[in-house]
Amino acid sequence: MTDPTQSTYVLDALAEVLKQRRHADAEDSYVASLHHKGLNKILEKVGEEATETVLAAKDAEHGNDQQRQALIAETADLWFHSLVMLSHLDLDHQCVLDELARRFGISGHDEKASRTQR
């Protein structure tokens, strides 16, 4: 298992890169090109990556190491594009981590039920 501080470092470093590239030249940066195209294009990419992740998970369920690695790669793409989405909306990955931390130790059924009461 990866050291949690290393995972946090990766997310923090990636967030900083996304922040820097948000206003870069769209010709020089994939992230800048996504931001330049706007939220709908970013959401399209999130949806595309989500679909690819679902399909890869189906293959990985009874698959070999290569198919399981493909699932990891697709999940990384999904997370990356989700981070771009958050960045575009001036939100930080830390907000998501804080929400997950808030839910830690709460029954999933109880947490889901509380959303309908908010």
Side-chain angles (χ1 to χ4, degrees):
M1 183 168 186
T2 305
D3 176 4
T5 57
Q6 181 184 7
S7 299
T8 301
Y9 169 79
V10 169
L11 285 173
D12 290 345
L14 182 54
E16 186 59 35
V17 169
L18 293 177
K19 185 177 180 182
Q20 292 171 1
R21 294 189 183 163
R22 180 174 179 178
H23 301 291
D25 185 347
E27 296 290 320
D28 297 332
S29 166
Y30 173 69
V31 170
S33 72
L34 286 173
H35 285 293
H36 180 74
K37 292 173 186 173
L39 182 61
N40 284 343
K41 181 60 176 179
I42 295 167
L43 296 176
E44 180 182 307
K45 287 300 297 179
V46 171
E48 176 186 315
E49 297 302 341
T51 299
E52 290 174 3
T53 301
V54 167
L55 295 173
K58 293 295 284 179
D59 291 341
E61 182 179 23
H62 301 291
N64 58 28
D65 287 343
Q66 184 178 5
Q67 289 165 314
R68 296 175 73 76
Q69 186 58 44
L71 172 58
I72 291 168
E74 292 299 344
T75 303
D77 290 346
L78 175 59
W79 288 12
F80 174 82
H81 286 90
S82 295
L83 291 170
V84 172
M85 174 191 65
L86 290 171
S87 171
H88 190 80
L89 297 170
D90 292 321
L91 294 168
D92 189 84
H93 68 278
Q94 190 60 51
C95 297
V96 177
L97 295 176
D98 291 347
E99 176 61 15
L100 289 171
R102 183 192 69 76
R103 294 179 185 186
F104 203 81
I106 299 172
S107 158
H109 295 298
D110 291 343
E111 194 285 324
K112 188 173 181 180
S114 75
R115 283 188 251 160
T116 59
Q117 297 169 1
R118 289 185 208 167

